Structure formats: structure tokens, C-alpha cells
Amino acid sequence: MGNLSLHSLEGSLMARRKKIYEGKAKILYEGPEAGTIVQYFKDDATAFNAEKKDVIDGKGVLNNRLSEYFMNGLNQIGVPTHFIRRLNMREQLVRSCEIVPLEVIVRNYAAGSMSKRLGIAEGTQLPRPIVEYCYKDDSLGDPLVTEEHIAAFGWASQQDMDDILSLALRVNDFMSGIMLAVGIRLVDFKIEIGRVFEGDYQRLIVADEISPDSCRLWDIESGQKLDKDVFRRDLGNLTDAYSEVARRLGVLPKSNVTKPTLIN
Ligand code: UDP
């Protein structure tokens, strides 16, 4: 089947599904069974609260595959995530959950907004991992908030915050370790947390995506940036950077692949 007919087939399949939500980098569709969602990864890149935008050929395919890799690994070590399975090049099946309206950021080295805010040079190692929370609201530019705001406005309970902190630190240890093994420093990252209801109980799980869109990844030897800062700061080809991460992790074939070719 030629590319054209494959694309139109994908198009017609997608048209029949109910779109639940379209964000900057992903689209969510109703899943095949109750409690599931299909997460579609777009090629769109945005930065600075969508003031800078572009379409980066192949980014969605790479992020679908990388997020699968990280979430699968987390599931395997007992850190619960929304990930069920990858469906195709751009889509994965995930558990539907209620997103806690917080961006949970873990930092190992100073960079980005923390460096600006506190005047700490980018790349300075922090005395210990620092967890920050931002309130998820694009119209406000996702402002930094404290646990006082979170409790007072009821975004999450104290028990939730204990669970979120523990999830965030476990994700940090896991991600730092697998990155270190392939010569990459995990500078910082952002995760989102979902609430799932099981009978009378609720549980918190890692949701959304974990990919170079939401992490800072620096080559340990050269300091080269292998994450979305390549796009934010115009440092080169974003797909090349993400492909390099995928290649080192064994998610792409070991050859000098610059295009996102899948192993299976
Ligand atoms: N981050 C993200 N989405 C956001 C804001 C931040 O994925 O809306 C990630 C970002 O890629 C980095 C970390 O969270 O890995 C810390 O970002 P920072 O607060 O330094 O913000 P930035 O400098 O990107 O504005």
C-alpha cells in the first residue's frame, strides 16, 4: 500500500473516532473500551506558551516510542502509569484518568526557569533533587505554586501530595539511571499525574507523556542538548536530537539513523 492510501486510511479511521481533547502536542480520542483513551502524538512543537510554533517531521513518532519505553519501564518497576500499549507509529492506548491540574517538575541540575528565577548558572548540580509544582493553566502561563496553594484551592489533598512526591522521586531515580547508562544527564523533567478510581478507592498514576519534550537531557561528555531546548533556543535539528536519545536507548536501530524508523 502506498503512503498516500495509508494516510487516507489512517485519516478515515481517525475521523470515525470521537476526539476528546486536542492539546499542543497530542490529541486524545475515545478508546476502544470503557476506561481507555487513545493518545495520538502530533509533530507540532510549541514553546514559550505557544508563542513559538513549528511542525517537526517525525517528532510525534519518536515521542510515542520514547514515552512507551519510559512508561513501560516504570510499570515494570512498580511505578504505576497510564500506559497500556502502543497501537501504531503515532498512537498508544492509555488508561483514562482525571488529570491533577499540576505540572510536577523535578530538577537535579539548575536550568531554565529555575536558573532565571534564582540566578543559579545553568548546569549547577543541586544539593538534592528539588520538586516544584506549577498550576496547569495556559492563560496564566502555568505559574509556580506552593503546597499551600494546592491544599487551599483543593487541587490535591495532603495524602495526594505525599503520593505525588514519592512518584516524582521514583520517576527521577529511574529516568536518571537509564539516562546515565547511555551517557545522558537528566537535568530536569516534568510529569503529570492522573487520578483513577477503583471502586471506592482512588489511585494516582503517572500520566500524559515522558519524552524529550518534557525533559532536559544533556550529553554527559559534550554537554550537547538532546531535548526540546534545541527547538526553544534554535540549536539545530530537533528530530536528530530525539533520534540520538532513541538510538542510545536501543529504541531505534544502532545504525546512523536520522529518520525515525521503528524496529518493529
Ligand atoms: N516543562 C514541560 N512543560 C512545561 C514547562 C516545563 O515539559 O509546560 C519541562 C521542561 O521541558 C523542563 C522542565 O519541565 O524539562 C523544567 O522547565 P522550566 O520550569 O525550566 O521551564 P522552561 O525553562 O522550559 O520555561
Side-chain angles (χ1 to χ4, degrees), residues 167-227:
L167 284 173
L169 293 176
R170 291 188 72 194
V171 173
N172 186 42
D173 284 348
F174 172 77
M175 291 292 294
S176 295
I178 53 175
M179 288 301 172
L180 182 63
V182 295
I184 295 174
R185 170 165 299 150
L186 178 66
V187 172
D188 59 29
F189 65 93
K190 182 261 315 186
I191 51 170
E192 294 189 19
I193 302 292
R195 225 183 265 288
V196 288
F197 298 93
E198 288 162 2
D200 286 344
Y201 295 95
Q202 66 130 34
R203 221 155 56 94
L204 296 177
I205 62 177
V206 179
D208 189 50
E209 72 177 284
I210 303 180
S211 75
D213 267 8
S214 54
C215 301
R216 282 198 170 90
L217 305 169
W218 296 358
D219 179 75
I220 289 179
E221 294 274 301
S222 66
Q224 188 193 351
K225 293 181 176 32
L226 300 169
D227 56 57

Side-chain angles (χ1 to χ4, degrees), residues 24 46-49 103-107 109-117 122 132 134 136 138 141-142 144 186-192 208-209 211-217 227-229 232-233 242:
K24 286 173 277 194
T46 62
F48 313 119
N49 210 2
E103 303 210 320
V104 180
I105 293 172
V106 184
R107 301 177 184 275
Y109 295 80
S113 69
M114 181 196 227
S115 288
K116 280 209 199 89
R117 204 182 327 121
E122 286 210 311
E132 295 177 345
C134 293
K136 256 173 76 71
D138 281 341
D142 299 337
L144 186 70
L186 178 66
V187 172
D188 59 29
F189 65 93
K190 182 261 315 186
I191 51 170
E192 294 189 19
D208 189 50
E209 72 177 284
S211 75
D213 267 8
S214 54
C215 301
R216 282 198 170 90
L217 305 169
D227 56 57
K228 206 166 101 178
D229 276 347
R232 292 190 190 98
R233 304 180 187 188
Y242 288 20

